């Protein structure tokens, strides 16, 4: 009844889904089994033409399988024989007499499952090794086509069914690599784990695993297949990992190393148990980085993130240098994983950024929304003001805005505000954004919408048409949700938007923000809308101010204004321009706000202020302050204390020829 059970299970193969890549044949045009066989032949051995292996069945019901041309696939005696071969030009080309190497060379040139089955059907009989290779090639073809299901015409094809029957009946006699390869191929098709075919293959693999002796590559394939079939909690997986730990890493191929990372990645709950093994793998992997393909590099980086291997920084840095030349060759998903790793490890590389700029600028319209939003997150996190990237992303959103989800739109727009950058097509970009928000306002989560509108205000693209909506009690209630209080960042963003409506949009006469939703300070330990002053830079400026003004009492530091901003240094002047003690509140004619800007207030390696610092200085000027910017790059070039005093005098009193005390 095994054959009947198999055929019934094959009828349900239409539910199979393709996930992941097939590693065994992709990089090896000749099967591993064939290579092993070649290595073990004595030097005097010369293969002679032999009859192909024929598989015999004892079930009469096997006669029910038919090929498309009407010939019985299984003869009455139970012998698995394919339809007669077509006549080829020469005897050497007759597929009934091809050896393994010729078979795999031809198989690797086929480009569709139909071609593979058509080729197999021309063979009079097929060895088990080649049957597994043909099945795996079919899976590989379907994965490349991007289909989510194996086509019904493939599932119902008599040749495909015969391949599965052959592997099930001969599972106990299959060589180890052929056995695990067949299991992997069917697993990637998401076959029913309870089908007789998979049950037989899994049981046979487990028997051989218990006996020991499976080579490294077979252990790796078996481990991944069992994770897909039974989940990372299966007991057999621990035995596989235990056996792999006993192997020498020098015997692992680069593909096996990456497979090992993927296996451990699936067992994150037990990562602490395997950390010593991971440390060995991380160290050894340094020697294989430059032999990895783009896909394998991406998978290794993804595993380092999932496994939280922050201590493997040397490995990540080497991978980061290696991926630079492969950026154009990554798929969207692979590039997303690479960017995620750079963000996770907090690393940036100017060569990587340059290569990313070139790739995004040339292929922006072909990149998926996930990749585009991840590119923008990378630039935002590392404060990278890359005009080629930002310009290309703006163009992508204008042309393909309907492809982006609300969250992806937020990740795309926020960096423009954070980096204080308006692209050349800014008017078209924000008109497109405004129309999308007006049309789909209720589809945007309240916090996502608030982030987008706040980011727009940072670069003076004020969302006047939405202010009444976001200041309304109804929106604020939705923003709060089921929490007792609104979070600090949302309150600060609302407050700054309201301050913007008062200072920069005096024509706005709509809903005001209730006082209970307004914060007193934008400077908070976390989620701050201001960057705290750098202590070392402040101390240098303070020393120069004391020398210039004569005493510490003539200026105040870290002054919280009534308008929520904190001023690094405040100096008060009377009507004649004389400096007043900081404790005096009467007769103050002008207030000077010194912004002591360290590198964290600028885009990376530039003199371009971040958006939150630009809006702060803009608002302080509108509030009547004389804003004096003291950037770090001007302080660093001063060579003496005297030069510092002269510099501060020119900054504070440009109209005076000198100040004497």
């Amino acid at each position: 009844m095994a054959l009947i059970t198999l055929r019934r299970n094959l009828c349900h193969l239409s539910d199979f889904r393709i996930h992941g890549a097939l590693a065994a044949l992709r990089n090896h045009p000749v099967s591993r089994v064939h290579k092993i066989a070649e290595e073990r032949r004595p030097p005097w051995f010369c293969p002679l033409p032999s009859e192909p292996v024929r598989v015999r069945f004892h079930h009469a019901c096997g006669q029910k399988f038919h090929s498309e041309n009407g010939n019985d696939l299984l003869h009455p005696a139970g012998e698995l024989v394919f339809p007669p071969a077509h006549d080829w030009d020469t005897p050497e080309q007759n597929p009934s007499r091809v050896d393994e190497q010729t078979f795999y060379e031809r198989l690797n040139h086929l480009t569709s499952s139909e071609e593979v089955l058509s080729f197999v059907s021309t063979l009079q009989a097929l060895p088990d090794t080649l049957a597994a290779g043909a099945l795996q090639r079919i899976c590989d073809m379907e994965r490349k086509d991007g289909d989510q299901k194996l086509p019904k015409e493939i599932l119902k094809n008599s040749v495909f069914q015969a391949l599965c029957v052959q592997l099930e009946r001969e599972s106990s006699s299959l060589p180890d690599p052929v056995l695990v390869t067949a299991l992997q191929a069917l697993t990637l098709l998401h076959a029913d784990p309870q089908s007789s075919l998979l049950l037989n293959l899994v049981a046979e693999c487990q028997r051989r695993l218990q006996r020991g002796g499976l080579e490294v590559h077979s252990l790796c394939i078996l481990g991944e297949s069992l994770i897909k079939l039974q989940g990372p909690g299966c007991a057999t997986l621990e035995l596989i990992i235990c056996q792999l730990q006993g192997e020498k890493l020098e015997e692992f191929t680069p593909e096996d190393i990456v497979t090992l990372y993927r296996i451990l990645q699936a067992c994150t709950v037990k990562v602490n148990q395997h950390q010593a093994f991971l440390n060995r793998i991380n160290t050894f992997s340094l020697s294989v980085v430059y032999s990895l393909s783009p896909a394998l590099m991406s998978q290794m980086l993804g595993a380092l993130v999932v496994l939280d291997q922050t201590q493997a920084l040397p490995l990540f840095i080497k991978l980061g240098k290696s991926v630079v030349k492969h950026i154009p060759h990554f798929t969207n998903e692979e590039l997303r994983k690479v960017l995620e790793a750079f963000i996770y490890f907090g690393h940036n590389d100017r060569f990587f950024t340059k290569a990313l700029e070139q790739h995004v600028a040339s292929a922006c319209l072909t990149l998926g929304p996930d990749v585009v939003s991840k590119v923008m997150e990378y630039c935002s996190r590392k404060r990278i003001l890359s005009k080629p990237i930002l310009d290309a992303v703006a163009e992508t959103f204008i042309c393909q805005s309907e492809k982006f989800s609300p969250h992806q739109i937020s990740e795309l727009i926020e960096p423009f505000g954070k980096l204080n950058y308006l692209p050349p097509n800014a008017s078209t970009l924000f008109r497109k954004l405004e129309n999308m928000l007006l049309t789909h306002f209720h589809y945007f989560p309240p916090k996502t919408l608030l982030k987008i509108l706040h980011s727009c205000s940072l670069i003076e693209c004020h969302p006047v048409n939405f202010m009444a909506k976001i200041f309304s009690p109804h929106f604020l209630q939705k923003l709060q949700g089921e929490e007792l209080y609104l979070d600090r960042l949302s309150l600060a963003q609302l407050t700054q938007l309201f301050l913007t409506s008062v200072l920069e949009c005096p024509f706005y006469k709509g809903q005001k923000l209730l006082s209970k939703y307004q914060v007193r300070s934008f400077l908070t330990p976390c989620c701050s809308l201001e960057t705290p002053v750098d202590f070392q830079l402040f101390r240098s400026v303070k020393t120069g101010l004391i020398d210039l003004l004569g005493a510490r009492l003539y200026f105040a530091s870290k002054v919280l204004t009534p308008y929520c901003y904190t001023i690094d240094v405040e100096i008060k002047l009377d009507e004649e321009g004389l400096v007043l003690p900081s404790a005096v509140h009467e007769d103050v004619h002008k207030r000077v706000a010194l912004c002591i800007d360290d590198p964290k207030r600028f885009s990376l390696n530039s003199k371009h202020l971040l958006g939150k610092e630009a809006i702060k200085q803009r608002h302080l000027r509108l509030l009547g302050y004389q804003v004096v910017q003291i950037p770090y790059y001007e302080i660093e070039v001063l060579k003496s204390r005297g030069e510092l005093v002269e510099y501060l005098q020119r900054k504070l009193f440009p109209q005076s020829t000198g100040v004497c005390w």
Side-chain angles (χ1 to χ4, degrees), residues 171-216:
S171 61
S172 61
S173 62
L174 294 175
D176 291 345
V178 177
L179 178 67
V180 297
T181 295
L183 177 63
Q184 180 193 42
L186 291 166
T187 301
L188 290 171
L189 289 173
H190 273 209
D192 179 8
Q194 300 306 314
S195 67
S196 59
L197 174 57
L198 275 178
L199 288 174
N200 283 348
L201 294 179
V202 170
E204 181 60 30
C205 287
Q206 289 175 333
R207 281 192 290 271
R208 299 188 191 188
L209 180 65
Q210 293 289 344
R211 294 198 304 263
L214 287 179
E215 64 173 13
V216 165

Side-chain angles (χ1 to χ4, degrees), residues 322-577:
S322 185
V323 300
V324 171
K325 61 180 178 293
H326 295 296
I327 285 181
H329 309 295
F330 286 118
T331 65
N332 282 348
E333 178 60 20
E334 290 166 358
L335 182 56
R336 187 192 65 79
K337 287 183 179 180
V338 171
L339 289 165
E340 196 172 63
F342 270 76
I343 293 169
Y344 181 81
F345 280 90
H347 184 73
N348 72 81
D349 181 285
R350 62 188 179 92
F351 298 107
F352 175 80
T353 302
K354 187 69 175 177
L356 189 63
E357 285 178 345
Q358 295 173 353
H359 179 60
V360 173
S362 62
C364 60
L365 296 179
T366 63
L367 298 178
D370 282 345
V371 182
V372 172
S373 58
K374 193 60 68 174
V375 167
M376 293 298 278
E377 183 183 354
Y378 168 71
C379 291
S380 179
R381 291 282 190 94
K382 305 310 299 179
R383 309 193 326 273
I384 298 173
L385 179 58
S386 170
K387 294 182 181 181
I389 289 178
L390 295 176
D391 292 348
V393 169
E395 186 63 31
T396 300
F397 181 73
I398 290 170
C399 298
Q400 303 177 354
S401 58
E402 67 284 350
K403 293 184 178 181
F404 292 83
S405 68
H407 178 69
Q408 290 167 343
I409 292 174
S410 176
E411 289 185 326
L412 186 149
I413 295 297
E414 283 183 66
F416 286 99
K418 179 175 180 177
L419 299 172
N420 187 27
Y421 178 71
L422 282 171
N425 54 359
S427 59
T428 307
L429 171 67
F430 289 100
R431 191 182 307 115
K432 189 81 172 182
L433 175 64
E434 181 179 13
N435 291 336
M436 176 165 280
L437 293 179
L438 287 171
T439 307
H440 305 289
F441 184 84
H442 297 291
Y443 290 97
F444 282 79
K447 288 188 178 180
T448 300
L449 183 64
L450 179 59
K451 287 179 182 179
I452 293 173
L453 299 180
H454 178 260
S455 298
C456 293
S457 72
L458 295 179
I459 44 178
E460 299 184 80
C461 295
H462 305 303
V464 180
N465 292 337
F466 300 95
M467 286 181 176
K469 293 182 179 181
I470 64 174
F471 295 154
S472 68
H474 174 69
F475 179 83
L476 294 173
Q477 187 177 5
K478 287 177 61 179
L479 188 64
Q480 183 173 330
E482 297 180 359
E483 302 296 328
L484 294 177
Y485 303 98
L486 266 175
D487 63 278
R488 177 77 185 184
L489 177 60
S490 296
L491 289 174
Q493 289 172 336
L494 284 167
T495 305
Q496 195 166 53
L497 274 169
F498 176 61
L499 189 59
T500 299
S501 71
V502 174
L503 296 177
E504 300 189 70
C505 309
F507 51 87
Y508 172 73
K509 304 299 180 184
Q511 177 79 44
K512 307 296 183 182
L513 182 65
L514 299 176
S515 58
K516 67 177 182 179
Y517 293 107
Q518 299 179 28
V519 298
R520 293 188 58 200
S521 172
F522 293 138
L523 185 62
T524 54
C526 61
C527 305
S528 178
L529 298 187
E530 295 184 75
T531 307
V533 65
D534 179 76
F535 177 74
Q536 294 296 336
L537 187 59
F538 168 75
R539 196 166 69 169
S540 298
V541 174
K542 183 180 72 171
T543 301
L545 286 174
I546 292 174
D547 289 347
L548 175 65
L549 303 179
R552 177 66 175 83
L553 62 88
Y554 287 106
F555 63 93
S557 60
K558 300 178 183 178
V559 178
L560 176 62
T561 70
Y563 312 102
C564 309
Y565 291 111
T566 299
I567 298 176
D568 298 332
V569 170
E570 183 186 57
I571 299 174
K572 299 176 182 177
L573 305 177
D574 64 11
E575 192 170 358
E576 297 179 359

